[in-house]
Every structure is written in C-alpha cells, then in structure tokens.
Amino acid sequence: MIAPCGLALVVLLAGSGIAPASPIYVASQGAGTMVALDSGSAPPGAPLPVARTPAQIAAGPEGRLYLTHPDTRQITVVDGRAGSVLRTLSVPGQPFGLAVSRDGSSLFVGDWSGNRVIRVSAETGTVAGEVAVGKDPAALVLDRSGRLYVADRESRQVSVIDTTRMARIATVPVGEAPFALALDPAEERLYVANVRDGTVSVVATADTRTIATLKVGGMPYGVAVSEDGGRLLVSNQQGGTLVVLDARAGTVQAVVPVGRYPEGVATAGKRAYVANWFSDSVSVIDLDTLRETARITVPEGPRSLVIPQEGAR
Amino acid sequence: MRLATSTAFLLLLATTALAHGPTPQKIDQSITIAAKPDAVWAVLGTFAKIDAWHPQVAKSEGTGGNGADARRKVTLKNGGTLDEGLDELNATTHSYSYRLSDPDLKALPVSSYTATITVSPDGAGSKVEWLGRFYRGDTGNEPPEELSDEAGKVAMNRYFADGLKGLKAKVEGAGQAAP
C-alpha cells in the first residue's frame, strides 16, 4: 500500500510542476569538491571538500555517496543527507569507476591501470576479492541480481562479472573505446557509449550480445536511459551537445546544445542533467521540450553526477 | 647503458601509447585579430593547412579535405609528428574540432587530446579561441616530471599560444610568423 501511495505522490508533484526532493550530486575533479543541486535551477549549496581530483561518483543506500580519487588511491564516503564526509578509504591501484552493492556493504572499484575490478568493504576499504578485466576499465554498472558490467575502454569490450563469485562470465565486443554504461529500467539492455568511434552499442543482457550499434557522432562520453526506458541521453563531448535518441528505434530525436565538453549524464522524471567539464556547469534539459532550461555554475571540472534511486536517499 | 636507456624509453612508449588517464586538463587560449572573421577563416579554415600559420609546424599533409573523415599529419620543427583527425568543421560558424589519434611524446608530452578552434566577431575585428582537453604523457600515478600534468600544460599552452600568434601575424600581414 505504501509503494503505490509514494508513486502517486511523485506523479502529482511532477504534474503540478513541483519538483520532488531528489538532489543531484556532482563531483568536480578540478576543484576537489562535491555539490548537491536541487532538481530545479537553483545554485548549489556550499561545496563539500573531498580528497583531490574526484573522478567518478556513485550512490548507495541510506544517502551514502562514494567518490573515487585515481590520483590519490582513495575513495571518499559521504553522508549525502548530512552533507558531510564520513571517511576516506585507501584502496590499491588507480580507482576510477565504481558501483555499490545493493546492501551498501561492498564497493566494486575499477583499477584503471591495474586492469582489474576489486571488491572492497564500504566501511574499511579492505579488499575482499578481485577479478581481472580488460585494459583500462572505465564505467561499472551493477544490476539488481548482482551482475556487474565493466566498460574495458582499451579492449573494445564489456566484461560481465558474477559478483557472488567475483568471476568473469562473459566478454562482449562493443565499439571503439567504451567509456560509459547505462542499463534500461528492465535491465534487458545495456547501452555502451563508445568514445572513439562515436557510437552507442546496444547489448542484450540475457545472452550478453551486441544487438545494435547506434550512430551518435563526435565523442559519446556519458549515457543515461529515461525512466520509462524509451529514450537514450548521450553526451557528445566533441560537439558540446546532448543527443536524445529513441531507445527502441535507435533514431536521433534531438541534438540539444549544452556547455563545453559535456561528460556525465543523469536523469530523473522529466529532466536530464549534464556535467559540462570545461564550462564548470550543469545543464538542465527538459525532456518534454528537449531544450536546455537552466545552466547551473558548479565548482571547476565537473565530470560525474548521480541521482540516488528512489528509496535510497 | 645506452641500450638500457633506449629500452626503457621504448617500454614507456609502449605503456603510454594506449593509455588514457583519469585526470584531464584544460587549455583555453584566445587572441584578437584586426581582420574580419571571413579573412581569418580564409587562412585557418582548411584543416590540413595548419602549416600556413602555425610557427611550430614544419609541414602538414592531409587527406579528406574538410570532410567528416579528414586527417592531417603535422610534422613539428622539433621532429615530432601529430596524427590528427577532424571531427567537425563548420564554415558558417567558423569553427572546427579535431582529436589526436596516436600520441608522439616527442611532439608534445601528452597521451591524448581533443580541441576546438573558433573565430568569432569582436568589434571591427575577430577573436580566435582555441580550447582543448588533454591527458598527461604518462597517465600512471607516478609520472616522471617530463610527462606530468604540469609538463603537458606548459607544452600545450605554448603550442596553442604560438599558433595563435602565428595566425594573427599571418592574417594581419606582418609577413613571417613570430618566432
């Protein structure tokens, strides 16, 4: 009974133009800070200093956020609700992409130059397992069953990991220099942004196979799927645009100009958010009109942003 | 000793050739030129012809014109070579974007970059902005000084600044580009 009520409330809020309280967390690599944005166009609150050069950010349960620091071999653990740093973990290698286990106890961390994924305790950073993947693991995405997908950037493949055994169960050939990943809500399709050949690979998760390659152009550096699964949102870093595609047909619906060197993309409800690395801003895109409705200044060098899932915040 | 050094250098090249590190750096340079954007673009707007205006460039050879798959091989006066691909060229907005294909640490101590150069009106003249994103020459966690972020910034900023000065000199008719 509780769940349908919550859903109704969200729909009501969206319909009346009142934004639900879903913060967008942005990691700024140059500034070494994290900021929280509301879902509208208000400027962020005070930046939270973290360790140097945070690259990627991921959300866990209970409002927790995790940021990787490849240059300092650290992971910052943030309490998003309190807006404070809880602890800074030391981890081996060059931590870049990361994913959080459903219960929040483990982090899966890509070791960029070590060509492996390690599993560490979210409490202590202690290594609990590792598995070899391809060269230069970039994005990591975990599905609800505990299967982990890893974009092996310089191996032109996605590694598929069974995290219960920390064993690689498949490798899927994709485009050139896969960097970002997104699962559709049903977790039937994995979308892979290939930086160097300007495409998005569509992987069927049931048989771990690439079933389509969509032409985007430029340098796709970020990808997100709309909540209804119908649209793909792809940042084209070279073009300074967000490319909106019909997820089923694979056709381009709109090319929306954003800031310079856009990278991370996240979406919730009727809006998409794009981290403009060069411009030090976040673009807000209205998914009904397919236009940029706001550009919010954030600390220097935003590359990654995340919107915690419903129930996690 | 000599063999050991060159082997070490080759190993370095081998490990950095494909690497694309986790911490990108910005370059952002601009210059004003006393000429209309059309006149600036007449010099700038052919992708392969960077040797017409960039003082660090000894020669440049291109294929594909200004098309989507155009390439240029730029030989610098320091002996290094930049193998670059065109992403997009817009003759109406006077802008083009391109990327490095394979690094040559002898040319510039960086492992990869992308860049955009744009001419826009500025009063009676033009403003040319050249901006880019690059990764240091050694993207591991302990880069030697000559392949660090700082070394990359110094070299890329000098390359962009010299290029813009050369373009200005060429367009404004000052004859040879400034050294």
Side-chain angles (χ1 to χ4, degrees):
Chain A
M1 208 46 216
I2 290 167
C5 279
L7 197 64
L9 183 64
V10 169
V11 170
L12 192 68
L13 287 170
S16 61
I18 301 166
S22 162
I24 297 101
Y25 295 99
V26 186
S28 288
Q29 192 162 34
T33 59
M34 188 201 83
V35 292
L37 307 176
D38 72 16
S39 54
S41 58
L48 177 68
V50 295
R52 196 159 57 81
T53 56
Q56 296 283 309
I57 184 169
E62 296 173 17
R64 294 287 189 275
L65 298 152
Y66 302 89
L67 296 89
T68 53
H69 304 271
D71 289 345
T72 63
R73 308 174 193 274
Q74 289 174 314
I75 292 171
T76 302
V77 185
V78 171
D79 179 340
R81 295 167 183 164
S84 61
V85 173
L86 291 173
R87 54 193 176 271
T88 305
L89 310 175
S90 290
V91 295
Q94 209 172 13
F96 187 72
L98 86 164
V100 187
S101 68
R102 278 195 97 189
D103 65 3
S105 66
S106 291
L107 307 177
F108 300 96
V109 184
D111 175 1
W112 182 275
S113 48
N115 306 328
R116 61 178 175 159
V117 169
I118 57 175
R119 177 182 193 138
V120 304
S121 159
E123 279 295 319
T124 63
T126 305
V127 177
E130 72 168 80
V131 58
V133 295
K135 193 159 165 36
D136 295 356
L140 273 63
V141 167
L142 187 68
D143 78 2
R144 290 186 287 268
S145 74
R147 187 191 260 197
L148 183 72
Y149 298 93
V150 184
D152 296 338
R153 180 176 166 129
E154 295 304 333
S155 297
R156 302 183 186 190
Q157 68 187 20
V158 169
S159 285
V160 185
I161 311 295
D162 174 354
T163 58
T164 59
R165 297 185 289 131
M166 282 304 275
R168 182 157 66 176
I169 54 173
T171 56
V172 187
V174 294
E176 205 175 326
F179 187 81
L181 301 174
L183 278 166
D184 74 342
E187 300 189 337
E188 290 168 354
R189 290 176 172 215
L190 176 75
Y191 297 98
V192 185
N194 303 306
V195 168
R196 211 171 288 132
D197 66 9
T199 64
V200 168
S201 300
V202 184
V203 174
T205 55
D207 53 0
T208 55
R209 189 169 63 86
T210 297
I211 54 170
T213 302
L214 314 178
K215 188 78 192 156
V216 174
M219 283 191 157
Y221 247 98
V223 58
V225 186
S226 63
E227 285 181 349
D228 63 5
R231 275 175 170 162
L232 288 186
L233 310 162
V234 183
S235 60
N236 172 2
Q237 192 174 82
Q238 261 304 54
T241 56
L242 181 72
V243 181
V244 182
L245 299 101
D246 181 309
R248 291 287 155 188
T251 50
V252 174
Q253 294 181 329
V255 176
V256 185
V258 292
R260 285 168 166 171
Y261 283 85
E263 188 162 331
V265 184
T267 182
K270 294 286 189 183
R271 293 196 177 102
Y273 303 86
V274 184
N276 301 311
W277 173 77
F278 197 101
S279 303
D280 303 330
S281 61
V282 170
S283 290
V284 183
I285 313 298
D286 182 316
L287 293 180
D288 284 330
T289 60
L290 296 176
R291 286 176 194 280
E292 181 185 47
T293 55
R295 196 176 289 187
I296 305 162
T297 300
V298 298
E300 190 193 344
R303 294 185 68 194
S304 178
L305 41 67
V306 66
I307 304 172
Q309 293 292 303
E310 191 69 28
R313 43 185 193 263
Chain B
M1 189 58 203
R2 190 171 187 174
L3 182 67
T5 307
S6 62
T7 306
F9 187 62
L10 284 175
L11 278 174
L12 184 67
L13 284 176
T15 52
T16 55
L18 286 173
H20 190 98
T23 313
Q25 304 293 327
K26 290 178 185 174
I27 329 147
D28 190 358
Q29 298 258 348
S30 59
I31 202 163
T32 54
I33 296 180
K36 296 284 185 197
D38 282 341
V40 179
W41 189 250
V43 175
L44 178 70
T46 303
F47 183 58
K49 299 272 184 193
I50 188 172
D51 54 352
W53 55 273
H54 200 305
Q56 286 189 26
V57 173
K59 83 175 165 170
S60 174
E61 294 168 318
T63 55
N66 282 339
D69 297 317
R71 309 199 61 80
R72 70 185 178 195
K73 192 170 181 178
V74 182
T75 306
L76 302 187
K77 287 176 180 167
N78 72 11
T81 304
L82 301 173
D83 183 5
E84 297 174 330
L86 183 64
D87 279 297
E88 190 178 1
L89 182 143
N90 189 325
T92 310
T93 57
H94 299 137
S95 180
Y96 72 77
S97 301
Y98 64 100
R99 66 178 89 177
L100 179 70
S101 294
D102 296 306
D104 177 359
L105 300 174
K106 188 180 170 189
L108 291 168
V110 297
S111 59
S112 74
Y113 58 75
T114 60
T116 298
I117 191 162
T118 304
V119 187
S120 51
D122 182 69
S126 301
K127 181 182 171 189
V128 182
E129 187 171 22
W130 197 356
L131 56 88
R133 165 174 165 132
F134 76 90
Y135 289 83
R136 63 181 175 249
D138 178 348
T139 57
N141 268 355
E142 282 91 29
E145 202 175 309
E146 69 275 17
L147 299 176
S148 64
D149 285 336
E150 200 49 45
K153 274 185 213 170
V154 168
M156 291 295 279
N157 274 306
R158 188 182 300 139
Y159 184 74
F160 278 37
D162 285 359
L164 290 174
K165 277 184 233 157
L167 178 65
K168 179 182 174 79
K170 176 88 179 173
V171 174
E172 292 181 352
Q176 286 300 303

